[in-house]
Amino acid sequence: MSDGFAGSVARSGEDELLRAFVEMADTLADEYDVAHLLHRLARYCVTLLGASAAGLLLADQRGNLEVIASSEESGRLRELLRLQTEQGPCLDAYRSGEEVAVEDLAAQTGRWPRFAPEATRAGFRSVRALPMRLRSQVIGTLNVFGRDGTPLTGAALSVAHALTDVATIGILQERAIRRRELLTEQLQHALNSRVVIEQAKGVLAHAGGLEMEAAFDRLRAYSRGSNQRLSEVAEAVASSRLRPAQVLGERGAN
């Protein structure tokens, strides 16, 4: 970021800006690679916005930040990003849901005693962390570094926000689709299990001359006694892998 962020969007050209938004919008399509997408977002912060370096952290299921992408694979940048899982502007932005902007990292050693000195030693002077947020839900952060004290402002900041927002929406949509698919699979599995259980009850009722309720009690008792799932025992009975006599010999169903 030798000459700062200001005006960098205009110099990079409208074509590259359009390509960036098209690529981020691909998150709204099926079968996209989240890691690749976020790596490209980090790179666009350098090539399109004029940042010196950038990286992204996403929260796991426990709410802990993990490094997911960076504009370069240098060990020093990755270590700076990893430090921010414990302290730093990214962690603060994730917890607050608000941007964190610093023009002079050297003056922040009291605030971030490990991160600030390391970032300064790496040659960075300014940093801005943008939360990846949709309404009240924050899923991660974008961290943009500069080697001079010029912060990310104006048109460059607006572009960074827009690209981050599109990527965030795409990630959340993909997660929602996965959850819906999982719920659908679970429902279908439950329905299939119920059909098999009904079949097994019929087999046991016929073999033992029992009412369906009594046959179900025997099926449950065998499941408990053998420490197997009810659906597994039912499937074994229905497919003739388990003889009805073995199940009907069990007693003590509640």
Side-chain angles (χ1 to χ4, degrees):
M1 200 181 67
S2 58
D3 58 352
F5 289 111
S8 60
V9 175
R11 290 194 296 274
S12 65
E14 293 182 0
D15 288 345
E16 187 177 5
L17 180 60
L18 179 59
R19 282 195 299 272
F21 277 106
V22 169
E23 190 164 357
M24 293 302 108
D26 280 345
T27 62
L28 303 179
D30 293 333
E31 303 296 328
Y32 79 95
D33 185 332
V34 172
H36 175 72
L37 174 94
L38 296 183
H39 173 76
R40 292 297 298 146
L41 176 55
R43 288 297 301 161
Y44 277 128
C45 287
V46 174
T47 62
L48 187 59
L49 305 183
S52 297
L56 291 109
L57 292 85
L58 285 184
D60 62 19
Q61 292 179 337
R62 296 180 299 276
N64 299 319
L65 288 176
E66 298 288 344
V67 179
I68 190 70
S70 59
S71 58
E72 57 187 69
E73 295 303 313
S74 69
R76 196 153 205 180
L77 176 59
R78 302 287 290 192
E79 181 57 29
L80 282 176
L81 295 172
R82 276 192 291 270
L83 273 176
Q84 294 194 74
T85 64
E86 302 172 6
Q87 63 172 246
C90 273
L91 184 59
D92 289 359
Y94 172 70
R95 288 175 171 172
S96 68
E98 303 293 335
E99 289 180 30
V100 175
V102 175
E103 296 184 20
D104 184 7
L105 275 166
Q108 300 298 319
T109 55
R111 185 177 183 182
W112 304 309
R114 293 184 60 203
F115 169 77
E118 285 298 323
T120 302
R121 277 192 287 272
F124 298 119
R125 286 188 57 194
S126 62
V127 63
R128 185 180 286 266
L130 282 64
M132 299 183 71
R133 181 184 66 195
L134 180 63
R135 293 184 284 275
S136 63
Q137 185 174 7
V138 183
I139 64 172
T141 55
L142 167 66
N143 201 181
V144 182
F145 295 92
R147 295 192 185 280
D148 63 17
T150 306
L152 184 67
T153 58
L157 179 58
S158 296
V159 170
H161 271 297
L163 291 173
T164 303
D165 288 347
V166 173
T168 301
I169 291 169
I171 292 171
L172 289 173
Q173 175 183 265
E174 191 263 350
R175 290 180 179 179
I177 290 173
R178 273 199 226 163
R179 283 194 293 267
R180 286 197 297 270
E181 289 177 346
L182 178 60
L183 289 173
T184 299
E185 290 174 4
Q186 290 173 336
L187 176 58
Q188 189 59 52
H189 178 73
L191 292 173
N192 292 343
S193 296
R194 190 66 220 177
V195 169
V196 173
I197 288 170
E198 292 299 319
Q199 292 173 344
K201 282 166 55 179
V203 170
L204 295 178
H206 177 75
L210 303 171
E211 296 292 333
M212 294 294 279
E213 187 67 27
F216 183 55
D217 286 344
R218 298 292 180 85
L219 191 67
R220 284 195 304 158
Y222 187 89
S223 171
R224 292 170 181 171
S226 61
N227 197 28
Q228 298 180 68
R229 292 181 180 177
L230 182 63
S231 58
E232 293 174 349
V233 174
E235 198 278 329
V237 171
S239 63
S240 300
R241 290 187 290 106
L242 181 61
R243 291 183 296 108
Q246 291 176 262
V247 178
L248 294 174
E250 294 290 335
R251 295 292 187 270
N254 295 321

